[in-house]
Amino acid sequence: HLLLFLVFAGPFNCFASYSRATELFYSLNEGLPAGVLIGSLARDLRLPTAGGQHSASPQPPLSFTLASQGLGGQYVQLDNRSGELHTSAMEIDREALCVESSGATIFGGSAAVSSSSTSPESCLLLLDVLVLPQEYFRLVKVKIAIRDVNDNAPRFPVPHICLSVPENAPVNTRLAIEHPAVDPDMGTNGVQTYRLRDNYGVFTLDVEENESGERTPYLIVMGALDRETQEEYVTVIIAEDGGMPPLVGSATLTIGISDINDNCPQFNDSQLNVTLYGNSSLGTHVATVHAVDMDLGSNAQITYSYSQKVPQPSRDLFHLNESTGAITLATKVDGDTPRLHRLIILGNGPGCIPAVITVLVTIIKVMMRPPEVVPRFIANEVEGVVYLKELEPINTPIAFFTIKDPDEKYKVSCYLDGDGPFRLSPYKPYNNEYLLETTKPLDFEAQQLYEISVVAWNSEGFHVNKVIKVQVLDDNDNSPVFSEQLIELSIEENNVPNAFLTKLHATDADSGERGQVSYFLGPDAPSYFALDKTTGVLTVSTQLDREEKEKYRYTVKAVDSGFPPRESIATVTITVLDKNDNSPRFINKDFSFFVPENFPGFGEIGVISVTDADAGQNGWVALSVLNGSDIFVIDTGKGVLRAKVSLDREQQSSYVLWIEAVDGGDPALSSTAKITILLLDINDNPPLVLFPQSNMSYLLVLPSTLPGSPITEVYAVDKDTGMNAVIAYSIIGRRGPRPESFRIDPKTGNITLEESLMQNDYGLYRLLVKVSDHGYPEPLHSTVMVNLFVNDTVSNESYIESLLRKEPDISVEEKQPQISIEPTHKKMEAASCMPTLVALSIISLGSIALVTGMGIYICLRKGKKHHRADENLEVQIPLNGRINLHMLEKKPMEISNI
């Protein structure tokens, strides 16, 4: 505040002629939310805004600032530029701000709260706002009136109001209720009326308003009251305000009716007749008179006295207790004592006419006195009650009884009357002495109190009874007993923590603390079970998992509070019920099966092992094939995977299946596994010859071909794999002028010339080639005819084709080709040099005789040419038909699952 004063003191003095003090007044309801517009200072002060239409030049921007951030500033937000005043996030509570109902109350500084003295219902929020710049400077006094809303219900300062009314209160008696209801709201929103929920037809309420506006309720008596008829009225007083809608508050109103002395003592009977034996002893109770006064306290105090009409001898003979009204024999009855006494007794009350009762006492003359019974107690005895502990041993003495005749003239006998484990027997060697004792242990739980009588009678038939009460004291002789020795419980797994299991109940027949039972867990109980010591409530503090443990068995104890304590044990068995909380689980995520091809349909490929930790229906698992169900099927019960059809590796070498396992829970859980089926090859395909393409094809071989030169090849493939696809080539049949001139490589199928061709080697060569695999257990093969025509040229193709169409006479050599995988490469390298060496040798030898023998050789060759051709035709037998290269020799094979 001081800082703001120093900052603005100079400008206030310098520009005093230009400054003005302005006051603005706003009003709003209490309890409004944040952001509600209270007012616009710039608009209400009619200040020019920057760039306004009436300004010749641009105006500097206005600035609005609270002069102090006091209490009032907490409830408003001032926009420094626009001057708009809004409610803040702090809600305005009129009742909290304006506690005083009258008089100005300002809470410091230039931002304050005031309760106006002019109107008790007004509550003002005072703000000082500075407007800048200096040419527009002014101090604005902003007053915000907080309007009351009906947001408070009437409330009584105490929940229970007590009011006392004398029973003789006249009608229209007015009693102020000292605790009226209060309502923080003002005006009509404050307390307006009072009413009773139940007026019992004798009460009503009225309201009086004092000069300050406070309303006080008055209870008005509308009917006669009688405390003896009803001493208390309990109702509810309700206060209601004048809001819309009205709010109410209530309290319990107890109206007590105070007593006045409006009743006098009264006897139920007017006369009482009593008989008294003449031999009665002093202090014998004769009678008791009793009067009743309906009033209370001192108003109901009654004293008893003899009427003045009672003669003095009767007064001396019978004593009257003034307080209790008991009449007892005061002196001995002798022969001169009158036989009839009329006792007039008065019942006196304060301020009342005495009540009167007459007691007629008739004395019967007796010639002898009855026997006397004198007890001497051994056990603990108080006022005629003997206290014995249970489980006292047999023959526990209780009392001695002396039986005697006062006149010492008659024989006196006695006996015990009543039920119970007691015995009265003569105590020898004394005469007329009897001992009362127990005959068996007492049991408090069976019977707590016995009432027996010692009866004495003389030979004249006079009887005297001495009544004795025996109270059995409890001992801690009973252990707690569980209602069930085996407590069988069940709970679903995945229970909530601290789940209720059961409430144990054990009873103890003993009384008091000895019968109070506490409960404890046995040492074999898991730590996550809890048993309330007092209530016996058994809970489990953690979640149970049936798959981890399905059954729990432990002991519980019930211990009483006796000394020493006794206990009993029961067994608790808990069965954890299954919930479907486990998905089926495959033993492996991926399964691989190796199956020979041509495996028979519906044969067992493999077993899919799957487990489910749940039990019952939740643990039942059904298997199904998600893909490839048109080929494969799975046995749900055994998990056996089968193929519906025979599988051919050459068509598809492997299959990838997805198997789904679904349990029987609700909702069901599932899991999947990947199954890979790899088909193992069996030798079911013979080699397929791709070249030569036909048995009718042939190849021209020039006679000048050097030995070792490749002539042609046989090329074959096998659809099988492994050793079943390793192909070996061999010549199993030959036909021609010199058929040994050609050989075939067993691995590559290359046909080479072994020896040099001579003139007499011209003609058609037919080689029957066997193409065989290395399959197990028996290899498969195909054959092809390789036709080689040795000649310089082919001048007549039709002639050669006619020779090919003839069936050749070829003897088949059953000789298995020998293929050595590793050494073959070396042999082939050595053999590859042989044609070169042979050629060099022939050239070196032939060069000598070439010139001299060339002419002779040509002549001889031309002369014998046609003759040799005819001769060769007679030897070679062409093949008429084609060999079916796809014809397979197959034998049945036993295929077992892998």
Side-chain angles (χ1 to χ4, degrees):
H1 296 170
L2 179 61
L3 178 62
L4 291 174
F5 175 78
L6 293 176
V7 171
F8 294 105
F12 288 166
N13 294 330
C14 296
F15 298 96
S17 59
Y18 301 100
S19 62
R20 293 181 299 170
T22 307
E23 185 175 283
L24 293 179
F25 182 81
Y26 300 104
S27 64
L28 77 160
N29 291 340
E30 63 174 327
L32 294 178
V36 175
L37 178 64
I38 300 175
S40 175
L41 302 185
R43 181 190 61 201
D44 297 337
L45 294 174
R46 298 179 180 176
L47 296 176
T49 58
Q53 295 179 357
H54 302 287
S55 60
S57 61
Q59 301 295 328
L62 296 176
S63 174
F64 299 86
T65 307
L66 286 174
S68 174
Q69 292 294 333
L71 178 62
Q74 301 176 4
Y75 298 97
V76 296
Q77 287 183 341
L78 177 62
D79 190 304
N80 294 336
R81 295 300 181 187
S82 66
E84 289 186 349
L85 200 62
H86 296 83
T87 57
S88 68
M90 182 175 291
E91 183 179 298
I92 298 176
D93 185 0
R94 183 186 182 281
E95 290 74 33
L97 288 175
C98 301
V99 181
E100 300 292 337
S101 61
S102 63
T105 304
I106 301 176
F107 296 88
S110 58
V113 178
S114 174
S115 181
S116 172
S117 60
T118 59
S119 176
E121 296 185 1
S122 62
C123 177
L124 297 179
L125 191 66
L126 305 180
L127 303 173
D128 289 345
V129 180
L130 298 177
V131 182
L132 296 175
Q134 293 182 357
E135 53 266 30
Y136 296 105
F137 172 78
R138 66 182 65 191
L139 176 65
V140 181
K141 297 284 187 176
V142 179
K143 295 182 179 181
I144 303 174
I146 310 301
R147 293 193 297 267
D148 183 47
V149 298
N150 192 27
D151 57 346
N152 292 279
R155 184 177 60 86
F156 285 91
V158 292
H160 195 173
I161 302 173
C162 295
L163 194 64
S164 178
V165 181
E167 62 176 328
N168 63 343
V171 176
N172 293 327
T173 299
R174 298 170 65 88
L175 300 168
I177 297 177
E178 297 181 354
H179 300 285
V182 293
D183 192 329
D185 296 325
M186 301 298 293
T188 58
N189 292 332
V191 178
Q192 299 296 316
T193 61
Y194 291 87
R195 67 176 185 273
L196 295 177
R197 180 172 295 175
D198 186 0
N199 57 18
Y200 295 96
V202 293
F203 300 105
T204 187
L205 287 179
D206 190 16
V207 179
E208 290 186 2
E209 185 175 355
N210 58 16
E211 295 179 356
S212 61
E214 295 180 352
R215 295 173 182 265
T216 303
Y218 281 82
L219 181 71
I220 302 176
V221 179
M222 301 297 294
L225 303 176
D226 186 5
R227 189 206 62 80
E228 288 73 32
T229 302
Q230 185 168 350
E231 64 181 359
E232 186 180 72
Y233 297 88
V234 179
T235 184
V236 175
I237 181 173
I238 300 173
E240 183 176 311
D241 62 20
M244 291 300 291
L247 302 178
V248 298
S250 62
T252 301
L253 177 63
T254 301
I255 305 170
I257 309 302
S258 59
D259 184 54
I260 63 171
N261 191 25
D262 57 346
N263 291 279
C264 290
Q266 291 183 354
F267 287 105
N268 293 331
D269 300 312
S270 60
Q271 181 172 313
L272 186 63
N273 298 321
V274 180
T275 300
L276 180 67
Y277 288 100
N279 60 351
S280 297
S281 58
L282 295 178
T284 299
H285 180 266
V286 178
T288 298
V289 295
H290 180 68
V292 178
D293 192 324
M294 300 300 293
D295 293 325
L296 292 176
S298 60
N299 295 330
Q301 290 183 356
I302 301 175
T303 59
Y304 301 94
S305 63
Y306 285 123
S307 171
Q308 295 180 358
K309 297 180 181 180
V310 178
Q312 190 62 39
S314 297
R315 293 170 181 257
D316 296 337
L317 182 62
F318 301 103
H319 175 263
L320 174 63
N321 190 305
E322 293 183 357
S323 300
T324 63
I327 303 172
T328 57
L329 185 63
T331 59
K332 281 281 187 179
V333 177
D334 54 22
D336 298 331
T337 303
R339 300 302 175 211
L340 181 64
H341 297 267
R342 181 184 298 275
L343 305 178
I344 301 174
I345 300 175
L346 304 178
N348 304 296
C352 290
I353 299 174
V356 180
I357 187 172
T358 301
V359 179
L360 293 178
V361 181
T362 302
I363 299 177
I364 301 175
K365 186 177 181 179
V366 180
M367 299 304 297
M368 65 175 63
R369 290 181 291 175
E372 294 182 355
V373 179
V374 180
R376 289 170 293 165
F377 293 98
I378 302 172
N380 184 26
E381 180 266 341
V382 177
E383 295 182 356
V385 180
V386 178
Y387 296 91
L388 290 178
K389 289 185 177 181
E390 66 174 332
L391 303 182
E392 288 281 1
I394 301 175
N395 301 326
T396 296
I398 299 175
F400 278 112
F401 289 90
T402 301
I403 310 299
K404 61 181 180 180
D405 180 16
D407 299 326
E408 298 181 355
K409 296 180 180 180
Y410 304 99
K411 180 180 179 181
V412 180
S413 300
C414 71
Y415 66 92
L416 188 65
D417 186 22
D419 296 329
F422 305 102
R423 176 176 58 219
L424 182 66
S425 57
Y427 190 73
K428 296 180 180 180
Y430 304 103
N431 294 326
N432 297 330
E433 294 287 344
Y434 294 86
L435 177 64
L436 178 63
E437 58 186 355
T438 61
T439 58
K440 64 179 181 179
L442 303 177
D443 188 358
F444 174 85
E445 289 72 36
Q447 188 170 347
Q448 293 87 35
L449 182 65
Y450 295 90
E451 188 171 324
I452 55 179
S453 298
V454 176
V455 182
W457 83 98
N458 59 16
S459 56
E460 295 298 322
F462 281 92
H463 292 73
V464 173
N465 292 344
K466 182 63 177 179
V467 178
I468 301 173
K469 294 181 180 180
V470 179
Q471 177 68 53
V472 182
L473 301 178
D474 187 30
D475 199 359
N476 192 30
D477 60 335
N478 291 277
S479 299
V481 178
F482 281 99
S483 56
E484 295 176 313
Q485 287 299 314
L486 179 60
I487 304 166
E488 296 179 334
L489 308 173
S490 62
I491 184 174
E492 280 193 343
E493 63 176 331
N494 304 329
N495 55 281
V496 297
N498 300 318
F500 173 83
L501 293 175
T502 189
K503 184 176 182 180
L504 303 180
H505 180 66
T507 57
D508 194 317
D510 295 324
S511 62
E513 292 184 354
R514 293 172 291 273
Q516 293 179 359
V517 180
S518 300
Y519 302 90
F520 302 93
L521 290 172
D524 54 345
S527 60
Y528 40 84
F529 288 95
L531 180 60
D532 189 277
K533 175 182 177 181
T534 305
T535 63
V537 173
L538 181 64
T539 58
V540 55
S541 60
T542 186
Q543 283 190 347
L544 300 180
D545 187 358
R546 188 204 66 83
E547 289 72 37
E548 180 179 342
K549 190 171 183 180
E550 185 176 4
K551 288 187 178 294
Y552 295 86
R553 185 184 181 93
Y554 53 86
T555 57
V556 291
K557 294 190 301 183
V559 183
D560 63 21
S561 301
F563 184 79
R566 301 174 70 95
E567 66 180 38
S568 61
I569 296 176
T571 301
V572 176
T573 63
I574 301 175
T575 301
V576 183
L577 303 178
D578 184 56
K579 291 182 70 175
N580 192 28
D581 58 343
N582 289 276
S583 301
R585 183 177 180 181
F586 290 92
I587 293 180
N588 299 314
K589 292 184 179 179
D590 295 333
F591 290 85
S592 296
F593 296 105
F594 296 88
V595 182
E597 64 174 329
N598 300 329
F599 195 67
F602 292 97
E604 181 179 326
I605 294 176
V607 177
I608 310 299
S609 297
V610 61
T611 59
D612 194 314
D614 294 322
Q617 186 73 15
N618 295 331
W620 181 86
V621 179
L623 298 174
S624 61
V625 181
L626 296 180
N627 62 326
S629 58
D630 54 339
I631 300 177
F632 296 94
V633 66
I634 191 166
D635 187 343
T636 296
K638 299 179 180 179
V640 177
L641 182 63
R642 306 176 189 274
K644 299 179 182 179
V645 296
S646 179
L647 304 178
D648 187 358
R649 190 203 65 81
E650 285 72 36
Q651 293 184 1
Q652 187 170 342
S653 61
S654 65
Y655 295 88
V656 176
L657 304 179
W658 289 95
I659 303 298
E660 182 183 38
V662 181
D663 62 21
D666 184 19
L669 301 178
S670 64
S671 60
T672 57
K674 180 182 178 182
I675 311 297
T676 302
I677 302 173
L678 301 174
L679 297 182
L680 300 177
D681 184 51
I682 63 172
N683 195 24
D684 59 342
N685 291 281
L688 176 63
V689 178
L690 300 179
F691 184 83
Q693 297 179 354
S694 171
N695 287 339
M696 298 298 292
S697 61
Y698 65 94
L699 181 66
L700 176 65
V701 180
L702 297 177
S704 60
T705 303
L706 296 178
S709 299
I711 303 301
T712 185
E713 69 171 344
V714 176
Y715 178 69
V717 293
D718 197 316
K719 294 182 179 179
D720 296 324
T721 60
M723 294 302 296
N724 295 332
V726 176
I727 299 175
Y729 301 90
S730 62
I731 299 174
I732 60 173
R734 303 169 184 264
R735 184 69 176 170
R738 189 154 55 96
E740 294 80 7
S741 302
F742 300 94
R743 66 176 296 273
I744 189 167
D745 188 297
K747 289 182 63 178
T748 64
N750 292 332
I751 299 176
T752 58
L753 181 64
E754 285 289 303
E755 301 175 356
S756 299
L757 297 175
M758 302 301 178
Q759 290 184 358
N760 57 352
D761 294 334
Y762 283 60
L764 181 63
Y765 290 80
R766 310 198 73 174
L767 305 178
L768 182 59
V769 178
K770 179 180 179 182
V771 183
S772 176
D773 59 26
H774 282 64
Y776 178 85
E778 184 175 347
L780 302 179
H781 68 273
S782 300
T783 58
V784 66
M785 188 68 71
V786 178
N787 301 304
L788 302 176
F789 186 63
V790 179
N791 203 357
D792 293 326
T793 60
V794 179
S795 59
N796 191 352
E797 291 184 3
S798 60
Y799 171 71
I800 297 174
E801 292 176 358
S802 64
L803 294 177
L804 294 176
R805 284 192 291 269
K806 294 181 180 179
E807 286 288 343
D809 183 11
I810 300 176
S811 60
V812 178
E813 303 173 4
E814 289 298 334
K815 182 179 180 183
Q816 271 314 96
Q818 299 297 326
I819 299 178
S820 179
I821 302 302
E822 294 185 5
T824 302
H825 180 68
K826 294 181 180 180
K827 290 182 180 180
M828 290 181 63
E829 289 179 353
S832 63
C833 298
M834 290 301 294
T836 306
L837 294 176
V838 173
L840 292 175
S841 300
I842 295 174
I843 294 173
S844 62
L845 292 176
S847 60
I848 300 174
L850 179 60
V851 177
T852 58
M854 184 61 69
I856 301 171
Y857 174 76
I858 294 174
C859 295
L860 293 174
R861 180 177 175 85
K862 289 181 179 179
K864 296 180 180 180
K865 180 177 181 180
H866 296 289
H867 175 70
R868 190 183 302 116
D870 295 338
E871 184 180 359
N872 288 340
L873 291 174
E874 293 177 359
V875 176
Q876 296 176 359
I877 303 175
L879 297 175
N880 290 330
R882 296 184 179 179
I883 299 176
N884 187 0
L885 298 179
H886 299 282
M887 185 177 297
L888 304 177
E889 295 181 6
K890 296 184 180 180
K891 293 184 178 181
M893 301 176 64
E894 295 183 1
I895 300 174
S896 62
N897 187 20
I898 298 178

